């Protein structure tokens, strides 16, 4: 196991209460365990984001560099997104009306 280093951090009352609740419930043995778990979660998220950026995003950028005309103009992208959002809103309204 790696060497433990002590650090001091400032957190809000709400965050402190949340940590205390997790420990009191028995989910964790100590506040330090809660913090270490949170750091591990951030490390995993960052690793996943890095893998996504270095993988599919870089591949898409490479393909676009090789074939710029394959790209979609930003105005068209936003128009599609607006249309999909409007359709989602309309579908939600119909579902709510049917209930």
């Amino acid at each position: 196991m790696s060497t433990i280093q002590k650090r001091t951090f400032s957190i809000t009352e709400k965050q402190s209460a949340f940590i205390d609740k997790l420990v009191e419930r028995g989910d964790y043995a100590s506040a330090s365990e809660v913090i270490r778990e949170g750091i591990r979660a951030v490390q995993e998220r960052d690793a996943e984001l890095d893998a996504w950026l270095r993988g599919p995003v870089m591949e898409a950028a490479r393909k676009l560099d090789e074939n710029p005309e394959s790209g979609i103009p930003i105005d068209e992208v936003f128009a599609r997104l607006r249309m999909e959002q409007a359709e989602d809103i309309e579908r939600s309204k119909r579902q709510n009306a049917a209930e």
Side-chain angles (χ1 to χ4, degrees), residues 53-88:
L53 290 171
R54 292 180 186 277
V57 172
M58 288 301 294
E59 178 64 15
R62 183 189 61 74
K63 287 179 179 179
L64 189 58
D65 282 345
E66 292 173 356
N67 188 8
E69 59 277 356
S70 69
I72 302 170
I74 193 69
D75 292 342
E76 186 178 332
V77 171
F78 280 113
R80 288 181 187 181
L81 289 172
R82 285 187 199 99
M83 185 175 62
E84 288 176 14
Q85 183 182 32
E87 290 170 356
D88 288 345

Side-chain angles (χ1 to χ4, degrees), residues 9-62:
F9 297 95
S10 299
I11 58 175
T12 66
E13 285 182 34
K14 187 175 180 181
Q15 291 167 331
S16 182
F18 179 70
I19 291 169
D20 291 343
K21 183 175 95 176
L22 293 174
V23 174
E24 289 169 10
R25 268 190 343 207
D27 294 346
Y28 297 88
S30 68
S32 293
E33 280 190 13
V34 176
I35 299 304
R36 285 192 293 270
E37 179 71 19
I39 292 169
R40 279 191 291 275
V42 170
Q43 289 171 320
E44 288 176 15
R45 183 205 62 205
D46 284 357
E48 289 172 4
L49 177 61
D50 189 58
W52 176 70
L53 290 171
R54 292 180 186 277
V57 172
M58 288 301 294
E59 178 64 15
R62 183 189 61 74

